[in-house]
């Protein structure tokens, strides 16, 4: 018998639903784990972390188009590790803030992640669709088109029980799956 290839992280399983996506993103140097060789797949991901990953995918696929707009969020300092990514994402129209704040350390919800990814894909292609998520009525108005379009393009899927769980925090494993779905869709 051929031994199974070991997981690239101490806390991930090669048979996990997200693992093929995670492995490809690591191969492309688009995502990484922690110094202790863990990935922490079930941990929530922040707005800053997700934005950095999205900008990485956009640059990898060479579709990041920046405006000349001067973008400044009161809660993003020039020496923050995420400043470059947040500024690029804002200049590309992928992210916005509220009341001059980006809220970088807040956990990102599944519907907000969908909106950002939809904005990214929309810069290069049109995707439309509808969804039959049983909790569709819970998706915020601003996110419905993004969620439906990404679902019809097979970039996002539900929670396995027919729901989308729009206000649930996005996990690192879910982020890896979404980002690889975008990468595949843009290739």
């Amino acid at each position: 018998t051929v031994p199974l290839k070991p997981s690239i992280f101490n806390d991930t399983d090669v048979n996990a639903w997200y693992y093929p996506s995670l492995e490809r993103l690591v191969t492309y140097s688009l995502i990484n784990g922690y110094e202790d060789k863990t990935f922490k797949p079930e941990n929530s991901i922040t707005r800053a972390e997700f934005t950095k990953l999205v900008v990485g995918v956009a640059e990898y696929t060479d579709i990041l188009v920046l405006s000349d707009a001067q973008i400044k969020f009161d809660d993003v300092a020039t020496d923050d590790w995420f400043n470059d990514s947040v500024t690029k994402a804002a200049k590309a129209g992928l992210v916005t803030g509220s009341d001059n704040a980006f809220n970088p350390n807040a956990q990102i919800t599944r519907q907000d992640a969908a909106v950002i990814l939809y904005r990214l894909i929309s810069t290069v292609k049109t995707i439309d669709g509808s969804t039959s998520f049983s909790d569709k009525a819970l998706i915020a108005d601003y996110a419905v088109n993004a969620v439906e379009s990404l679902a019809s393009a097979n970039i996002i899927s539900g929670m396995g029980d027919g729901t989308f769980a729009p206000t649930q925090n996005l996990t690192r494993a879910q982020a890896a799956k979404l980002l690889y779905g975008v990468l595949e869709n843009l290739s």
Side-chain angles (χ1 to χ4, degrees), residues 24-183:
R24 298 304 286 167
L25 291 172
V26 169
T27 300
Y28 299 150
S29 299
L30 293 174
I31 201 167
N32 53 34
Y34 296 95
E35 302 234 350
D36 64 357
K37 297 198 182 269
T38 62
F39 182 69
K40 300 179 178 152
E42 297 307 315
N43 281 12
S44 296
I45 190 167
T46 66
R47 288 174 49 85
E49 290 167 333
F50 188 72
T51 300
K52 184 177 188 321
L53 294 173
V54 170
V55 168
V57 167
E59 289 177 335
Y60 183 84
T61 56
D62 202 29
I63 63 168
L64 192 65
V65 178
L66 306 178
S67 72
D68 292 333
Q70 293 301 312
I71 307 289
K72 176 79 175 105
F73 295 112
D74 293 340
D75 56 354
V76 177
T78 55
D79 60 346
D80 284 335
W81 64 266
F82 50 81
N83 176 57
D84 186 56
S85 297
V86 170
T87 300
K88 284 179 180 178
K91 285 185 172 197
L94 305 179
V95 299
T96 59
S98 177
D99 297 325
N100 230 21
F102 180 69
N103 208 1
N105 297 314
Q107 306 303 309
I108 192 163
T109 63
R110 291 172 50 82
Q111 68 186 356
D112 287 349
V115 169
I116 293 169
L117 294 178
Y118 179 74
R119 287 175 182 157
L120 175 64
I121 290 175
S122 295
T123 63
V124 292
K125 68 188 323 184
T126 301
I127 56 173
D128 293 307
S130 63
T131 183
S132 59
F133 292 124
S134 62
D135 61 349
K136 180 179 176 179
L138 300 177
I139 301 171
D141 290 345
Y142 70 86
V144 170
N145 186 49
V147 170
E148 289 183 338
S149 297
L150 293 176
S152 71
N154 294 318
I155 294 170
I156 61 173
S157 58
M159 301 300 288
D161 62 358
T163 65
F164 178 66
T167 60
Q168 194 174 89
N169 290 339
L170 187 71
T171 67
R172 291 173 52 81
Q174 292 167 346
K177 181 82 169 146
L178 287 173
L179 291 166
Y180 187 67
V182 168
L183 202 59

